[in-house]
Amino acid sequence: MLDRWTARRPESVANFPGVLIPLEEAHLHSHSYRIRRRAVVESEGLLNGDDDVDTHNGKDGDEEGTTMLLEMDVPEYSIQGLRAEVRRGTPGGKGSHSGSGEKWTAYEMKSKLINKAIQDIGMGRYNWQLFVLCGFGWFADNLWMQGVSLTLPSLSAEFGVSEKSVRYTTSALFVGLCLGSFFWGLGSDIMGRRMAFNVTLLITSIFGIASSYAPTWGWVCFFYGALAFGVGGNLPVDGALFLEFLPDASSSLLTLLSVWWPIGQLVSSLFAWFFIANWPAEQGWRLFVMTIGIMTFIMFLVRCCIFHLFESPKFLLSQGRQAEAVAVVHGIAYKNNRKTWLTEEILDAVVEGAATPRLRRRLSASNILKNKLSSFSGQRLRPLFNSRKLGLATILVWFVWATIGMGYPLFNAFLPQYLSHGGGGPQEEEAATPAAITGETYRNYAITSIVGVPGSLLAAYTVDLKSPFLGRRGTLAISTFLSAIFLFAFVRLGTSPASQLLFSCIEAFTQNIMYGVLYAFTPEIFPAPVRGAGTGVASFLNRATGLVAPILAANMPGDGASTPIYLSAALILAAFGGICLIPIETRGRQRL
């Protein structure tokens, strides 16, 4: 069981027999060969009017065309061909991170080879299973973020906390979220992706279930903060992990992974509608959080006890554990019923003398602890500023995360409260007393959640389009701008329950595009050795500014039903400006 959590037992190529093929035969199993062969066979099928052409065995294909395809791939799969490929371009070229004149490092060249090997294996059973299991993390994040906001009216009613003051509950949640995202984001670069991947959901489930027994509002806030420490690590860790197992040709799936986020919101709103709207205030919310806590624990069991997760090959390579990185690639091929040509000898031969010696030495427990603690420092983040381009992109991405982090919860964390007033803000005397809990409020919230799901699907389609106005950066900019505009519209034009529902649905749609692209775009910008750190700091800033949002919402003058939304719109509009200035577009680029 401990091995499942920590990956202390090294993977070995001996565990995956039958997947290794000689480099001379690699062209028969390459991604480019499969694509061209399928195109040739499909075109022949169309010419012959045969809809049942076998695209796998090639017996119905033209032998001359197949031979030509093979010859096109042969030079690519030789030591000389691979050596030329990994050195193609410069780190200072278009879309790269480093300054001009620099050469590819040994790590970067080996990362390119691993990318190529994973690309040749292609999407298969292991990748799709990982898509679902990483989706659990995204699902849990919004399940609990929206779940907490849905309990606010009940907490007001049971504990006699005013509608404004109960918003501090969300502050407790964001304290845990920002600590969790920072700790697990950096920790995944030190301890490995696998440990964080397994432990985060366990922590979330334990404290989530415990919160249903909280005797006071203070204890509720404590348990919400503790569960958030676990759930806060899901997005930075799961996104980086999935990215590092994803073939380049399937990179849009990282954006599609965000579809689990609105699904989490949908499930949360449906359970809240069932429990909170139909049970007394002091019972409904407790049954609700216990239910989603048990659901989270089941997801942890599936991750830890049923699925065998390989450690990220990029992480292993960055730690000097090259043999294990190669073994993981073999393991992916074995799980996907494919072949691979990658070996340690090929890695070393292609990189030649540029490879850094891999030192393996035993350290005492105190030295290991000291090394881990020293990694949580500015030294860990320094590679993010190795070049002007990467440094500027890092600052702008962090700015975008920070502004959206404050703007998003100013609207979404209190949407049930806004909807409960039906478009006319609460009167002054109502603002100091708990709002009535109605089934219509939770029904409207569920409708809003449903409409948000297609946004993630549209994002996954547009991020790979070659239009200069789309791709990662263009789609993110457009969706962010529209999110800001419709927030203004919600306040100015949302004067009835129907109009509020309309604008909240449009807002959910555009915000899910925005967050879907942002979560995919961010880890692609950072190189793998500091990918966890870069995304972890971004997520930390997102949560830290989100921590300020409920404090502002609770202390704004007036009814607190319009000013927070105006501020939310202004912050998201500022994020739009930052996105337009990001100097990197990652569409179609190698991920190192």
Side-chain angles (χ1 to χ4, degrees):
M1 178 66 75
L2 185 62
D3 287 340
R4 285 183 177 271
W5 288 35
T6 63
R8 290 299 182 190
R9 183 179 59 188
E11 302 288 354
S12 170
V13 293
N15 297 332
F16 311 108
V19 301
L20 182 63
I21 56 171
L23 188 58
E24 293 77 14
E25 298 178 14
H27 56 279
L28 295 170
H29 302 270
S30 70
H31 169 75
S32 56
Y33 170 68
R34 287 198 302 270
I35 295 298
R36 291 199 297 268
R37 184 176 189 176
R38 186 179 298 118
V40 169
V41 174
E42 286 178 355
S43 64
E44 290 177 353
L46 291 173
L47 290 173
N48 297 331
D50 183 4
D51 294 332
D52 298 321
V53 176
D54 182 1
T55 62
H56 296 288
N57 57 32
K59 291 181 180 178
D60 297 326
D62 180 10
E63 290 185 6
E64 182 179 349
T66 301
T67 301
M68 185 171 64
L69 289 176
L70 299 184
E71 291 175 351
M72 290 172 67
D73 275 335
V74 169
E76 180 183 352
Y77 288 93
S78 63
I79 296 297
Q80 292 75 16
L82 293 174
R83 188 175 291 160
E85 182 173 346
V86 299
R87 288 167 171 78
R88 189 172 299 146
T90 63
K94 182 180 179 180
S96 63
H97 299 307
S98 304
S100 60
E102 295 185 7
K103 296 182 178 179
W104 296 109
T105 65
Y107 166 79
E108 289 171 335
M109 289 189 283
K110 290 182 179 181
S111 290
K112 282 187 170 187
L113 279 182
I114 288 178
N115 284 347
K116 186 175 182 65
I118 291 176
Q119 173 83 326
D120 287 342
I121 293 170
M123 286 293 294
R125 184 182 66 175
Y126 181 83
N127 307 82
W128 287 113
Q129 288 175 342
L130 194 60
F131 175 82
V132 173
L133 295 175
C134 288
F136 284 174
W138 293 60
F139 176 90
D141 183 90
N142 221 17
L143 181 77
W144 284 102
M145 277 191 63
Q146 304 306 323
V148 167
S149 68
L150 288 164
T151 63
L152 296 184
S154 297
L155 297 177
S156 290
E158 179 175 351
F159 299 112
V161 184
S162 71
E163 184 172 310
K164 274 192 172 183
S165 297
V166 80
R167 295 176 178 179
Y168 285 113
T169 309
T170 312
S171 295
L173 179 78
F174 274 93
V175 168
L177 287 173
C178 68
L179 292 176
S181 61
F182 185 76
F183 177 84
W184 294 112
L186 289 177
S188 67
D189 286 337
I190 301 164
M191 300 176 287
R193 318 291 195 230
R194 185 173 178 174
M195 166 71 88
F197 183 79
N198 285 323
V199 173
T200 49
L201 285 184
L202 176 63
I203 294 173
T204 304
S205 62
I206 290 173
F207 288 104
I209 293 172
S211 67
S212 66
Y213 295 97
T216 65
W217 179 48
W219 277 106
V220 172
C221 293
F222 171 78
F223 286 127
Y224 279 176
L227 74 86
F229 176 75
V231 81
N234 281 314
L235 297 189
V237 172
D238 293 5
L241 178 71
F242 185 64
L243 177 68
E244 290 168 5
F245 283 100
L246 194 62
D248 289 335
S250 305
S251 59
S252 63
L253 286 177
L254 183 60
T255 304
L256 186 61
L257 190 65
S258 67
V259 76
W260 290 92
W261 210 60
I263 292 175
Q265 177 178 339
L266 173 60
V267 170
S268 188
S269 61
L270 291 175
F271 276 119
W273 187 9
F274 177 75
F275 287 112
I276 300 179
N278 294 291
W279 266 265
E282 67 276 6
Q283 295 180 18
W285 76 271
R286 295 179 186 273
L287 292 172
F288 167 61
V289 295
M290 177 177 286
T291 300
I292 62 177
I294 292 172
M295 184 183 302
T296 306
F297 185 70
I298 292 172
M299 292 189 291
F300 157 73
L301 290 178
V302 173
R303 273 188 174 188
C304 182
C305 302
I306 297 178
F307 181 73
H308 176 69
L309 175 71
F310 296 123
E311 183 55 89
S312 160
K314 300 287 183 64
F315 168 77
L316 294 171
L317 192 62
S318 70
Q319 298 296 305
R321 296 156 64 181
Q322 179 175 288
E324 293 175 61
V326 171
V328 166
V329 175
H330 284 223
I332 299 171
Y334 186 83
K335 294 278 188 180
N336 289 357
N337 196 27
R338 296 285 177 85
K339 305 293 184 182
T340 186
W341 44 267
L342 188 69
T343 64
E344 277 201 271
E345 292 73 21
I346 290 175
L347 280 175
D348 290 333
V350 168
V351 174
E352 282 186 317
T356 302
R358 298 186 303 277
L359 301 177
R360 304 293 296 269
R361 59 192 183 96
R362 294 184 177 274
L363 298 174
S364 66
S366 60
N367 284 335
I368 292 174
L369 179 61
K370 186 182 299 183
N371 288 344
K372 289 185 183 298
L373 291 176
S374 66
S375 297
F376 289 92
S377 64
Q379 189 69 26
R380 169 64 64 175
L381 303 178
R382 188 169 298 171
L384 294 171
F385 301 92
N386 276 348
S387 70
R388 182 177 180 179
K389 190 174 191 178
L390 179 58
L392 177 60
T394 298
I395 293 296
L396 287 171
V397 166
W398 287 351
F399 170 78
V400 169
W401 277 88
T403 50
I404 291 178
M406 184 181 293
Y408 180 86
L410 278 171
F411 175 72
N412 293 78
F414 312 116
L415 183 57
Q417 291 182 335
Y418 301 145
L419 293 176
S420 69
H421 299 300
Q427 303 298 319
E428 286 297 323
E429 62 271 15
E430 291 175 343
T433 59
I437 304 171
T438 65
E440 183 180 3
T441 298
Y442 294 105
R443 183 207 66 185
N444 290 348
Y445 196 79
I447 293 172
T448 300
S449 303
I450 292 172
V451 174
V453 174
S456 297
L457 301 177
L458 180 62
Y461 172 74
T462 57
V463 290
D464 278 333
L465 292 180
K466 295 183 178 180
S467 166
F469 301 105
L470 295 174
R472 268 69 160 169
R473 187 171 49 189
T475 302
L476 180 58
I478 292 170
S479 59
T480 304
F481 179 74
L482 291 176
S483 295
I485 294 301
F486 282 105
L487 281 172
F488 285 119
F490 183 92
V491 181
R492 300 295 299 173
L493 305 176
T495 55
S496 68
S499 60
Q500 276 199 339
L501 178 59
L502 172 64
F503 287 120
S504 63
C505 285
I506 297 173
E507 190 64 28
F509 181 79
T510 58
Q511 285 186 348
N512 277 306
I513 297 175
M514 175 184 74
Y515 257 121
V517 179
L518 182 62
Y519 275 113
F521 186 39
T522 300
E524 289 180 339
I525 289 176
F526 303 126
V530 286
R531 181 168 293 140
T535 56
V537 171
S539 187
F540 168 77
L541 292 172
N542 181 266
R543 309 304 197 183
T545 54
L547 169 62
V548 179
I551 299 174
L552 291 175
N555 290 281
M556 284 182 177
D559 58 27
S562 58
T563 309
I565 305 177
Y566 277 127
L567 180 57
S568 173
L571 287 165
I572 292 179
L573 195 60
F576 162 74
I579 292 165
C580 294
L581 297 175
I582 294 175
I584 293 175
E585 168 60 73
T586 60
R587 177 185 56 203
R589 199 192 65 189
Q590 279 268 14
R591 301 184 302 271
L592 301 178

